Amino acid sequence: MRSVHVAALLFVVAVACSRETPAPLAPPPAKPVVVRIDADVKTLNYVLHTEEAERVVLSFINEPLIALDENLNPVPSLAAGWDVSTDHRTYTIRLDPRATFSDGRPVLAADVLFTLNKILDAPSMQFSSWFESMDRQQTVAIDPRTVRVVFKTARVAQLLAFNIGVMPEHVYRAGDFATNPAVVGSGPYVLKRRDPNGILLEARADYWRQKPSIASFLFRPIADDGVAWRALMRGDVDIARITNDTWAHEKDKAEVRNELRFLDVWLLSYNCIAWHLRHAPFDDPRVRRALAVAFDRRAVITALYHGQARAVTGPFTPDQWASDPNVEAIAFDPQAARAALVAIGWRDTNGDGTLDRHGKPFAFTLLIPTGNVARDQATILQAALRDIGVSMQVSTMEGASFFDRVLHGNFEAAFFAWVNEPDPDPFSLFHSSQKAPAGLNVGEYASADADRLLEQARVEFDPARRAILYHQLHALLARDQPYLWMVQVSSKWGVNRRVQNVRASHGVGLFHHYPGPFAWRIQ
């Protein structure tokens, strides 16, 4: 009531005091483009982020040194240009002299050095493995806007490592780096507000590159896919990933087509279950393979995804050059799975329907992040395991809590959707030196043969020989089964028709390529 009274008073005063033609009212602020993210954001510290939702939001706040175009080729961004030495160990990066942070300060070579050192010292789970061979003594600022980065060993895809944001040293050097609440980047948007409704970003008035036309974005965390779909149809959300089930049931309805258009892309990602190999019985590869035999991929592909998914057999997506097409998906055979467990001593000795060994039942808990994808696949596996005498409980956790627990090794099994790099390098996932929290080898897999192949492949510049190394790694990991390899799902986005010029890049989708969202327009 108070706001109505105030508005009425202001109107009366305006009429009484002005006999001239009133000035036109300012147009109302444009409605933000609302993007659904499927988990809340734990951190907006670029170096420390670990989740896809964080990566999406941060891509609006932080300009990368080197961006990727729609075809995932490197293009200038913060770096106006670069040179690579003939031995592929020295990278000379020239910063764009126009580049500034959102507080108006210029982006300098010192900021690049600060960021690279923080990646190694923090350490950054996302990026530290890319810079572990950096020679800190020889990595220096040549002048205020030129940095020379030297590596002790050459790596094939090293240039792509510079697809990273740069953090301003003057903002983050003081105090505790991990808890510094500042959010300052060099990208086209700045943090305006963060509350339970989401993260609101506004376009920078002083952005140094071509300014995007959309004034603001609101990133709204919605874990449940059904809730997200209803918000999309109401117009409360403009852009959201949707399930293939929703897509199959809704895509041909006229009322849906009037409101939305759909984008479809195969991302460089796959679903899997990571076993913690320090916990029995997952320390036994025979057990891990038996559990893989009990996973019905065909049911997942047809029943859950309406044929819009592909079997994954190892650490690469099926259409990546590193994937070995000769590695076949493990066939679903529940009788064979139970027989394999019985053969190594698992039997139902007390008749309760659950296999046991040495007095311990075969029972474990699978951690999954909130969301339908993990839950639905887990349900299919849970039923199949129950039929062979294995009890799997499912524990659902909010995204940030899930990753925190997994990265600290507090799990038996965990459902993941890993995203590969455009030029794949699974070193941080499977090399024994990368056990969490130093890296992303969360299951503590260790194999001398895998270490050797991972080390050789990242420094092999001959494409044919590198493919052979990765094919050997693929076969080895398919044999050892540190993960239960599941499926690659075709990703579907629903886009409100008021948002125009939205394009998807094969491999990364709507985000993480240039110009990507910065070319979107409002109709």
Side-chain angles (χ1 to χ4, degrees):
M1 291 296 292
R2 184 177 180 185
S3 62
V4 173
H5 292 160
V6 172
L9 177 62
L10 291 174
F11 177 76
V12 170
V13 170
V15 170
C17 298
S18 176
R19 297 180 182 276
E20 299 178 3
T21 303
L25 296 174
K31 175 188 174 185
V33 169
V34 183
V35 178
R36 178 245 180 150
I37 51 178
D38 58 11
D40 202 358
V41 167
K42 182 179 177 182
T43 181
L44 288 175
N45 181 309
Y46 187 87
V47 164
L48 299 180
H49 84 274
T50 57
E51 301 174 37
E52 174 62 14
E54 295 166 345
R55 185 183 179 208
V56 168
V57 176
L58 285 165
S59 69
F60 286 70
I61 298 170
N62 294 273
E63 197 83 28
L65 271 172
I66 296 176
L68 301 177
D69 67 13
E70 192 172 309
N71 297 314
L72 306 186
N73 297 312
V75 292
S77 189
L78 276 178
W82 54 85
D83 298 306
V84 183
S85 64
T86 55
D87 65 359
H88 301 278
R89 291 178 52 242
T90 301
Y91 293 75
T92 303
I93 297 173
R94 301 179 298 279
L95 296 174
D96 193 314
R98 302 170 299 165
T100 60
F101 292 109
S102 58
D103 62 0
R105 298 276 289 270
V107 180
L108 300 174
D111 300 305
V112 177
L113 295 177
F114 172 80
T115 302
L116 294 178
N117 284 315
K118 282 298 180 185
I119 284 173
L120 293 172
D121 293 338
S124 168
M125 289 188 178
Q126 286 280 24
F127 307 119
S128 60
S129 70
W130 281 96
F131 293 97
E132 62 185 2
S133 74
M134 187 177 80
D135 188 325
R136 297 209 205 193
Q137 290 186 333
Q138 294 193 57
T139 296
V140 296
I142 298 175
D143 61 45
R145 287 191 172 87
T146 308
V147 61
R148 182 179 67 210
V149 185
V150 180
F151 295 90
K152 297 174 183 177
T153 58
R155 282 180 57 184
V156 182
Q158 190 69 66
L159 184 65
L160 297 182
F162 295 103
N163 180 229
I164 54 168
V166 172
M167 301 184 72
E169 181 180 20
H170 66 275
V171 173
Y172 292 97
R173 68 186 168 201
D176 186 345
F177 178 74
T179 59
N180 190 323
V183 181
V184 179
S186 58
Y189 290 88
V190 294
L191 177 66
K192 179 67 175 179
R193 186 182 74 243
R194 182 177 183 180
D195 57 33
N197 190 48
I199 296 173
L200 179 64
L201 304 183
E202 288 189 350
R204 282 176 58 183
D206 64 341
Y207 181 53
W208 51 281
R209 298 183 80 182
Q210 181 176 348
K211 294 180 175 61
S213 65
I214 294 177
S216 58
F217 281 88
L218 176 64
F219 296 89
R220 180 171 293 168
I222 306 176
D224 186 271
D225 292 323
V227 173
W229 170 253
R230 292 189 289 273
L232 190 63
M233 285 302 299
R234 287 194 308 267
D236 296 337
V237 168
D238 294 300
I239 294 175
R241 282 186 67 171
I242 61 174
T243 67
N244 282 277
D245 193 52
T246 296
W247 170 82
H249 287 99
E250 304 287 343
K251 64 183 176 68
D252 296 323
K253 295 180 180 179
E255 63 272 24
V256 173
R257 287 287 182 181
N258 287 337
E259 294 293 325
L260 307 174
R261 68 187 184 96
F262 296 101
L263 295 176
D264 181 8
V265 64
W266 293 101
L267 298 177
L268 295 173
S269 62
Y270 59 87
N271 297 153
C272 62
I273 290 175
W275 309 116
H276 202 303
L277 275 58
R278 194 179 65 216
H279 293 280
F282 307 119
D283 56 345
D284 187 338
R286 298 171 298 176
V287 169
R288 301 194 298 267
R289 186 167 188 87
L291 297 179
V293 173
F295 178 60
D296 192 352
R297 282 181 194 78
R298 184 50 50 193
V300 168
I301 291 171
T302 57
L304 291 186
Y305 299 118
H306 304 273
Q308 300 291 300
R310 304 188 287 208
V312 171
T313 60
F316 310 109
T317 54
D319 51 0
Q320 285 189 297
W321 59 266
S323 179
D324 185 350
N326 296 315
V327 178
E328 297 181 355
I330 295 174
F332 174 60
D333 189 341
Q335 291 183 341
R338 183 182 178 98
L341 293 175
V342 169
I344 56 177
W346 290 95
R347 293 177 173 81
D348 183 7
T349 60
N350 57 10
D352 67 352
T354 299
L355 299 176
D356 56 82
R357 186 183 184 192
H358 305 313
K360 294 183 179 180
F362 198 150
F364 68 95
T365 298
L366 172 68
L367 297 185
I368 65 172
T370 52
N372 294 10
V373 169
R375 185 190 65 222
D376 292 345
Q377 291 195 49
T379 298
I380 287 178
L381 178 62
Q382 184 180 44
L385 292 180
R386 185 186 306 117
D387 289 343
I388 68 168
V390 175
S391 174
M392 183 182 84
Q393 301 301 313
V394 178
S395 176
T396 303
M397 302 183 69
E398 178 272 328
S401 299
F402 168 85
F403 278 100
D404 184 66
R405 181 166 167 180
V406 168
L407 292 173
H408 285 87
N410 186 17
F411 74 100
E412 296 173 287
F415 182 100
F416 282 99
W418 286 128
V419 180
N420 281 340
E421 299 292 337
D423 191 311
D425 181 4
F427 185 93
S428 66
L429 297 181
F430 300 108
H431 195 277
S432 60
S433 68
Q434 298 299 301
K435 294 176 183 177
L440 293 172
N441 185 354
V442 295
E444 300 194 18
Y445 174 68
S447 162
D449 288 337
D451 285 355
R452 174 181 54 80
L453 292 168
L454 287 162
E455 292 163 6
Q456 290 177 355
R458 62 184 355 202
V459 299
E460 177 52 72
F461 283 81
D462 181 274
R465 287 200 293 267
R466 190 168 176 232
I468 291 172
L469 292 169
Y470 273 149
H471 287 183
Q472 292 173 355
L473 177 69
H474 187 165
L476 174 62
L477 293 175
R479 184 199 72 191
D480 287 354
Q481 291 287 308
Y483 292 174
L484 194 166
W485 312 101
M486 301 174 91
V487 296
Q488 178 197 30
V489 182
S490 172
S491 294
K492 306 288 193 295
W493 274 269
V495 179
N496 190 295
R497 290 192 178 275
R498 84 181 185 102
V499 186
Q500 299 291 306
N501 205 36
V502 180
R503 297 169 61 89
S505 167
H506 178 80
V508 297
L510 275 60
F511 308 99
H512 314 310
H513 62 94
Y514 187 82
F518 309 143
W520 298 355
R521 299 188 299 271
I522 298 294
Q523 188 175 37

